[in-house]
Amino acid sequence: MRRANRLVGATLAELARHIKPGVTTLQLDKIAGEFIRDHGAIPTFKNFPNPYGGPFPANICTSVNDVVVHGVPDSKTVLREGDIISIDCGTLLDGFNGDSCYTFCVGEVKDEVRQLLRTTYEALYLGIDQAVAGRHIGDIGSAVQDHCESHGYGVVRELTGHGIGRKMHEDPMVPNYGRRGNGIMLKDSMCIAIEPMITMGARAIYLMPDRWTVRTRDGQPAAHFEHTVAVRRGKAEILSSFEEIETYLGKTN
């Protein structure tokens, strides 16, 4: 699990080097697919089944601005100055899955949008702080919800984090809202993906005709950060990593 998730982090860091105005989401998808395969893994999202339609056609999800999740890379979506793009990436390596997401700025982004990203990022780590043996799923959701709603943001209800291991999506579901003490009790060595999906405006979303792309109803931007973690006694172990991404971004910003 560590190896699969570290590869996801390395893939996102590789993509960070190519995110700039003029680049298409399809170009990013091709870079990701080659990078993952060159490292001996399989892009898990490619051909991932959809109960509402056809399988996912790409290696990564590229969600730009008001797209909350599951944006499909294509040659028509060109990144522009001031955009944000959430890139969700999964790998299958030696029978185990990695899953992580990071929301990137494209050039100079409005301060209010950067604040959305900061708050969502902070909420991810507040949720991770609750991923401790003996606590409950609701403790994670409550931490995320309280932080984001205190800043006036919407917390998407219809999409959640999840268990992860030999399959990409396993039990339990990990909502980004809830009450402390509710839900299943967390046990040592459980692996879960925690992924706040937060909107600048109302939390209402809708599904596009492609049966994958999920957008905000009011057209406001959304942010999405995700780590795969192992539940431990005392403190969760983060299996994925933003370190390489942020080392690169720190050098360029």
Side-chain angles (χ1 to χ4, degrees):
M1 289 292 289
R2 289 190 191 95
R3 291 181 61 228
N5 280 283
R6 288 303 170 115
L7 177 55
V8 174
T11 305
L12 292 172
E14 177 65 21
L15 292 172
R17 297 175 172 86
H18 299 273
I19 294 171
K20 59 184 177 182
V23 172
T24 69
T25 53
L26 184 60
Q27 287 175 300
L28 296 175
D29 182 71
K30 290 179 178 177
I31 292 165
E34 290 176 4
F35 188 88
I36 292 168
R37 292 184 181 92
D38 285 348
H39 286 80
I42 297 170
T44 320
F45 295 174
K46 183 74 171 179
N47 295 319
F48 198 85
N50 183 347
Y52 308 108
F56 193 74
N59 300 296
I60 55 174
C61 298
T62 52
S63 303
V64 179
N65 296 333
D66 64 324
V67 177
V68 183
V69 289
H70 304 160
V72 180
D74 60 31
S75 59
K76 296 180 181 179
T77 305
V78 181
L79 298 183
R80 294 178 172 83
E81 185 81 15
D83 285 346
I84 57 172
I85 177 171
S86 301
I87 301 183
D88 197 352
C89 178
T91 64
L92 178 64
L93 181 62
D94 295 333
F96 291 93
N97 283 280
D99 190 12
S100 184
C101 181
Y102 198 94
T103 303
F104 297 90
C105 295
V106 182
E108 291 298 319
V109 172
K110 292 178 181 178
D111 287 344
E112 57 264 35
V113 178
R114 285 187 178 272
Q115 180 59 43
L116 169 68
L117 268 58
R118 277 193 295 271
T119 302
T120 307
Y121 184 98
E122 292 164 356
L124 169 62
Y125 285 93
L126 290 171
I128 291 171
D129 286 345
Q130 300 300 315
V132 175
R135 293 186 182 168
H136 294 259
I137 285 289
D139 297 345
I140 296 172
S142 176
V144 172
Q145 180 181 13
D146 290 350
H147 186 66
C148 293
E149 290 185 348
S150 72
H151 286 78
Y153 299 132
V155 178
V156 173
R157 301 291 203 276
E158 296 84 352
L159 303 159
T160 71
H162 51 90
I164 181 171
R166 290 194 177 273
K167 295 181 180 179
M168 172 60 72
H169 292 153
E170 299 181 353
D171 291 334
M173 294 173 59
V174 186
N176 293 304
Y177 63 95
R179 294 183 179 180
R180 293 189 180 277
N182 280 13
I184 68 164
M185 181 179 289
L186 301 170
K187 297 181 179 180
D188 185 50
S189 298
M190 289 177 64
C191 290
I192 56 176
I194 300 174
E195 48 179 321
M197 290 159 274
I198 307 301
T199 63
M200 181 173 281
R203 63 179 177 85
I205 58 175
Y206 70 100
L207 183 65
M208 295 288 288
D210 65 11
R211 312 305 291 174
W212 282 106
T213 305
V214 176
R215 293 183 182 271
T216 59
R217 281 200 173 274
D218 60 11
Q220 295 271 48
H224 179 199
F225 289 92
E226 175 183 17
H227 269 315
T228 294
V229 306
V231 174
R232 297 295 189 201
R233 295 184 178 90
K235 185 178 181 181
E237 179 183 355
I238 302 175
L239 301 178
S240 46
S241 176
F242 293 159
E243 184 175 353
E244 193 175 346
I245 300 168
E246 292 171 351
T247 296
Y248 174 76
L249 293 178
K251 291 177 180 177
T252 57
N253 289 344

